[in-house]
Amino acid sequence: MIKLLVLGIAGIAATLAGSFLSAFLGAPRESSAEHKEPDVEMVKFDAISVPIIRQAKIQGYVVVRISVLAFSTELKVGRPLLTAFASEAAFRAIYEEEAFDFSKLRPVQVAAIAQKVTELTNGRLARPFIKQTAIESLNFVSQAEIKDVRHN
């Protein structure tokens, strides 16, 4: 009876050890370098003033301030490029947006504009430079408000 009990315990121990070793040795080891997120830095830009021209008239201006999460490795050599191309991309994204019409205001898809800035900048730089764009502020100033300020 004791022999049968020892044989059963030995069988269970062998099965557990085999299961543990097959799981431990069979699983691929993950390298920390493979799954590590690349380092990013926040870069804030000065405000950009974009004229809104509809029907051959300046209706007003959109003043936008953006910031981007850019990959640190790219920033080491390309910070001036980022400044130039991201500012230009923000200007284009807003200038081309048809929802900015002071004569008939409608909701503006801010997330879509931010995504467009990211895509335009990365496209112009021909590599992923920006991970994400955030629009910090977005203000509308109509031409009438500018004229009122000038006269006061």
Side-chain angles (χ1 to χ4, degrees):
M1 172 94 162
I2 293 181
K3 289 182 185 179
L4 189 58
L5 185 62
V6 170
L7 186 61
I9 292 174
I12 292 172
T15 304
L16 288 175
S19 297
F20 176 74
L21 285 175
S22 67
F24 180 72
L25 296 176
R29 294 188 180 166
E30 295 181 16
S31 171
S32 62
E34 288 180 22
H35 290 84
K36 183 181 176 190
E37 279 287 321
D39 291 334
V40 292
E41 289 182 41
M42 174 77 74
V43 179
K44 295 185 177 201
F45 293 90
D46 293 333
I48 301 167
S49 173
V50 181
I52 302 301
I53 302 171
R54 301 289 185 263
Q55 301 160 351
K57 290 184 184 177
I58 295 179
Q59 291 186 341
Y61 295 87
V62 172
V63 181
V64 65
R65 180 180 297 256
I66 65 168
S67 59
V68 298
L69 283 177
F71 296 108
S72 300
T73 55
E74 298 290 341
L75 280 176
K76 290 178 183 174
V77 294
R79 191 176 288 266
L81 289 175
L82 175 66
T83 302
F85 287 115
S87 297
E88 188 264 344
F91 186 95
R92 280 184 50 199
I94 291 170
Y95 188 78
E96 294 171 355
E97 179 62 46
E98 293 179 7
F100 291 115
D101 188 348
F102 290 93
S103 64
K104 50 184 175 198
L105 290 177
R106 55 183 179 223
V108 176
Q109 300 299 322
V110 177
I113 292 172
Q115 181 64 30
K116 189 172 182 181
V117 170
T118 301
E119 290 170 2
L120 286 171
T121 304
N122 288 340
R124 291 285 302 272
L125 293 170
R127 61 186 185 269
F129 208 103
I130 295 176
K131 182 176 182 178
Q132 186 175 10
T133 301
I135 297 182
E136 291 184 15
S137 66
L138 186 70
N139 299 305
F140 309 97
V141 181
S142 70
Q143 189 69 10
E145 290 177 51
I146 293 171
K147 288 179 182 178
D148 287 344
V149 170
R150 288 182 187 167
H151 289 105
N152 289 335

